[in-house]
Amino acid sequence: MPELPEVETYRRYFEETCLFQPIANLFVEDRKLLTTDYDTLLVGLRDRSFIGTKRVGKNLFVQLDGLPDGESSDGLTAPWLHLHFGMTGDLAYFRDVEDTPRFARILFFFQNGFKLAFICPRKFERVGLIDTPEAYLLRKKIGKDGLEISVEELAEKFRRKAAPIKPVLMDQATVAGLGNWIVDEVLFQARLHPERRANNLTPDEVARLHGAIQLVLTTAITQEAQYSRFPTSFLIHAREWDSSPYPEANAHRSCPACRGELTVKQVGGRTTYFCGACQG
DNA sequence: CGCTATGTTGTTCC
DNA sequence: AGGAACAACATAGC
């Protein structure tokens, strides 16, 4: 699930549940999930509290109390926790042990008895301490957030990209937060073929694309990324991850605009849904 | 059993 | 050098 709208939903959930409670302990099932070694992470978290959150693209940053932003007095601590949800990550805040969700491979124990589970079904998720979100984003070459980028900035990113527009939009350096299904939805809403070359788009097409990014992201966040609640004009329903007992039927779901048959093919190495008629 | 998967990264090849 | 293509990662679910 975790593209930008899901991570934004997790961020709000985290803010509502986990702030201003000292941390007592930490459980990590598999240290491969950590980007900071376990002992350093435990020392950095214990007796501290989360005091705020920030999100850029699919990255969630959580600020810890006790140290000024970006400073590390003893070399063992850092003031921000970074979480990346991979393909299947999720959060769950709970108190009773019997409510521990499946795949809760990382647990933060608060001193008030509540716990935060970082649910990691496929172990593609990552957690660790960082100095500052800004330094992390720079190091990882992550571009502007999808909700923040301007049409001019987007056009500039496309200017020298000969690749198909789909992988260019998937690249977090172009714009942060768009993943496979959102890019398909954005291209459908903008009525652009996923294999159009990024540097061949007209200014009007770039403007449409920018508008579609805003539309899809804001719609998804408003619905808390519950796909079934999205407007019927959205292509997402052709995927229907949660409700289709017949996968082969999905590939032949019709276009929400013209009711023509959808095309399903690999573009940029990912399964891509589009309407050849509407997105010609 | 075989296939696919919402993401990122490292390698290889131009 | 820079970019594009693709395999690999680890596991679940169908």
Side-chain angles (χ1 to χ4, degrees):
Chain A
M1 302 156 193
E3 297 186 44
L4 188 154
E6 288 89 347
V7 178
E8 176 61 18
T9 303
Y10 299 160
R11 188 192 68 77
R12 293 176 184 184
Y13 179 78
F14 194 105
E15 285 249 346
E16 286 166 10
T17 56
C18 296
L19 299 189
F20 311 116
Q21 307 164 36
I23 297 159
N25 211 343
L26 182 66
F27 165 77
V28 179
E29 180 193 300
D30 186 338
R31 294 184 183 195
K32 280 186 192 145
L33 297 168
L34 303 182
T35 55
T36 301
D37 75 80
Y38 178 81
D39 296 329
T40 305
L41 184 60
L42 183 58
V43 167
L45 292 179
R46 186 172 268 165
D47 297 324
R48 290 222 170 92
S49 299
F50 299 125
I51 60 170
T53 64
K54 178 183 169 73
R55 182 196 56 73
V56 176
K58 304 169 190 173
N59 299 279
L60 177 58
F61 302 100
V62 184
Q63 189 168 25
L64 288 152
D65 67 2
L67 282 176
D69 191 46
E71 287 183 25
S72 181
S73 56
D74 55 9
L76 291 174
T77 56
W80 291 82
L81 186 72
H82 170 253
L83 296 94
H84 194 287
F85 295 87
M87 294 220 282
T88 49
D90 202 350
L91 297 177
Y93 181 76
F94 64 99
R95 184 179 59 190
D96 300 328
V97 174
E98 58 265 32
D99 293 331
T100 306
R102 206 177 165 202
F103 311 122
R105 304 191 201 273
I106 296 177
L107 287 165
F108 300 89
F109 294 88
F110 296 104
Q111 291 178 9
N112 65 5
F114 281 79
K115 296 107 186 152
L116 177 70
F118 187 20
I119 301 170
C120 308
R122 290 175 207 177
K123 297 192 181 180
F124 278 163
E125 302 76 8
R126 292 294 180 268
V127 187
L129 295 174
I130 58 165
D131 288 334
T132 65
E134 294 69 28
Y136 178 87
L137 295 167
L138 204 60
R139 181 160 58 82
K140 293 287 187 175
K141 297 185 167 51
I142 292 167
K144 277 216 172 179
D145 187 80
L147 290 172
E148 305 290 330
I149 196 167
S150 70
V151 64
E152 292 81 11
E153 289 166 325
L154 201 58
E156 175 59 24
K157 293 284 190 184
F158 293 164
R159 206 162 58 84
R160 268 175 301 181
K161 297 273 186 184
I165 187 66
K166 167 147 183 175
V168 170
L169 288 173
M170 298 261 299
D171 185 349
Q172 302 300 294
T174 304
V175 52
L178 312 190
N180 198 32
W181 84 252
I182 289 187
V183 168
D184 282 3
E185 190 67 61
V186 163
L187 290 170
F188 176 72
Q189 296 299 328
R191 300 296 189 262
L192 288 171
H193 194 286
E195 290 171 311
R196 285 285 303 279
R197 303 284 145 171
N199 57 2
N200 279 346
L201 298 179
T202 66
D204 176 63
E205 288 171 334
V206 175
R208 260 157 52 202
L209 203 48
H210 181 263
I213 290 171
Q214 310 308 309
L215 171 73
V216 174
L217 293 179
T218 54
T219 300
I221 290 171
T222 301
Q223 304 300 332
E224 297 182 329
Q226 303 288 301
Y227 312 122
S228 57
R229 295 188 208 155
F230 290 5
T232 54
S233 58
F234 272 44
L235 188 68
I236 182 76
H237 301 295
R239 283 187 143 91
E240 297 289 349
W241 292 304
D242 44 359
S243 66
S244 74
Y246 308 109
E248 66 278 11
N250 291 339
H252 304 293
R253 291 273 168 77
S254 58
C255 167
C258 76
R259 287 290 145 204
E261 190 174 326
L262 293 173
T263 303
V264 183
K265 67 179 285 195
Q266 297 291 116
V267 178
R270 313 295 294 207
T271 301
T272 301
Y273 286 64
F274 65 98
C275 174
C278 295
Q279 297 170 252

